[in-house]
Amino acid sequence: MSRPTARRALGAGLAALALAVSAAGCGDARGATARGATARGVPLVAKGALTSCADPSAAPFALVRDGRITGFDVALLDLVAARLGVRHRVVRSGFETLKSGAALDAGKCDIVLGAMAVTPARAGAMDATEPYFGVRQALVVRAGSPITSLDGVRAEKPAIGVQENTPGEEWADGEDLHFAVLPDPGAQLDALRAGRVAVIVQNEAVVRQALRDPARKGLAVIAAVDTGERYAFWVRKGRNPRLAGLVDQVLGQARADGTYDRIHAQWIGTRRIGTRLRATGPAPVTSR
């Protein structure tokens, strides 16, 4: 069975580090402080715009619709742009340049979005806002499955489909379950429908978005596990605390006045997923 190990590619990590270092030298020349672009005292890389970088493969947080990048995260940062009195410009960037901080260091954008979890490695390369979304892992089965709960999964130990290098894989490994590693959520859902696995575990928001598709009819969420993963927005390390602080302020107000809930309902659903941002004890489990 596949196990999470230190198989993360060292070469890729060193390449990302080299890119970040080389980009840092030109970041100031191309960045906000050199050009003097600001809005309400917040430095920006482009005049008149809050520029965010996204890898639009993380629906419903970031995706392409009608030729433009949109999604839950984009809608939240639209609020920040409106507070600044500028437009929100979203640019596409590879995930490797996002998670390493290279896109920020190169002056490509002011902020990174798109379901970027808080990890020690990322916190060492970039500055995070306060978490805006708490992630749960959903357990999904075919309708009519004899497995109807987390206890059933633990007792039966069926074949589980997980996505590689994700909290779902780490959770399955920690539970000592039998699992097969699959490349992405689509492959997991296909394997489940085909009967190659009996259960899949994946980000609950991603799963519920996918299950809106009529082609996914016949699949059901039986439980959700809080693994402690939290999403944040990211700014350049040590360079833009005002922007990070403004994001926290704007999203705090959005939670208080109901705007966050309206955006949540539009992109994720009216069921309150991802609103617990700080775990106070063992990871809780919720059943359907």
Side-chain angles (χ1 to χ4, degrees):
M1 292 297 169
S2 173
R3 300 279 174 159
T5 68
R7 62 179 178 267
R8 301 350 180 220
L10 178 59
L14 292 176
L17 177 61
L19 175 60
V21 171
S22 62
C26 63
D28 287 340
R30 295 163 54 187
T33 53
R35 288 204 298 262
T38 61
R40 299 183 183 274
V42 173
L44 301 173
V45 300
K47 186 176 181 179
L50 173 68
T51 305
S52 59
C53 283
D55 174 5
S57 61
F61 301 94
L63 67 152
V64 175
R65 179 175 292 176
D66 298 327
R68 58 185 287 266
I69 300 174
T70 187
F72 180 71
D73 285 10
V74 176
L76 292 180
L77 290 186
D78 284 346
L79 304 177
V80 178
R83 177 70 65 88
L84 288 170
V86 299
R87 66 188 179 93
H88 183 197
R89 181 171 70 106
V90 187
V91 297
R92 187 188 298 255
S93 191
F95 186 68
E96 287 297 323
T97 71
L98 301 184
K99 72 178 185 178
S100 68
L104 292 168
D105 289 339
K108 186 173 182 178
C109 50
D110 304 299
I111 192 164
V112 166
L113 61 82
M116 289 276 289
V118 178
T119 67
R122 288 175 191 161
M126 301 173 284
D127 289 335
T129 65
E130 288 294 317
Y132 66 90
F133 195 88
V135 186
R136 300 191 305 184
Q137 297 295 314
L139 277 64
V140 187
V141 300
R142 294 184 299 279
S145 169
I147 300 171
T148 59
S149 67
L150 178 62
D151 287 342
V153 171
R154 287 171 170 158
E156 297 295 328
K157 294 190 181 297
I160 296 178
V162 305
Q163 184 177 354
E164 187 173 18
N165 298 336
T166 63
E169 183 186 13
E170 294 174 3
W171 175 81
D173 185 65
E175 292 279 338
D176 198 27
L177 300 172
H178 306 297
F179 59 89
V181 176
L182 299 165
D184 54 53
Q188 288 178 278
L189 290 162
D190 290 343
L192 180 61
R193 283 177 57 84
R196 295 193 296 273
V197 296
V199 182
I200 65 168
V201 56
Q202 179 56 261
N203 181 308
E204 184 180 12
V206 172
V207 163
R208 293 196 183 278
Q209 176 81 4
L211 295 187
R212 292 180 178 182
D213 185 343
R216 307 297 188 190
K217 186 178 180 180
L219 304 180
V221 176
I222 58 169
V225 181
D226 185 347
T227 58
E229 186 182 18
R230 303 292 179 257
Y231 290 164
F233 297 113
W234 299 86
V235 301
R236 191 175 176 190
K237 188 72 175 177
R239 297 300 183 95
N240 213 341
R242 289 190 176 185
L243 178 56
L246 181 67
V247 171
D248 295 342
Q249 179 183 351
V250 169
L251 296 189
Q253 179 61 40
R255 286 184 179 279
D257 65 19
T259 302
Y260 181 98
D261 286 347
R262 289 193 292 274
I263 294 172
H264 190 289
Q266 177 186 357
W267 290 103
I268 297 174
T270 53
R271 182 175 178 180
R272 291 293 297 268
I273 300 171
T275 56
R276 286 186 49 152
L277 297 182
R278 291 179 178 83
T280 57
V285 174
T286 58
S287 295
R288 191 181 178 196

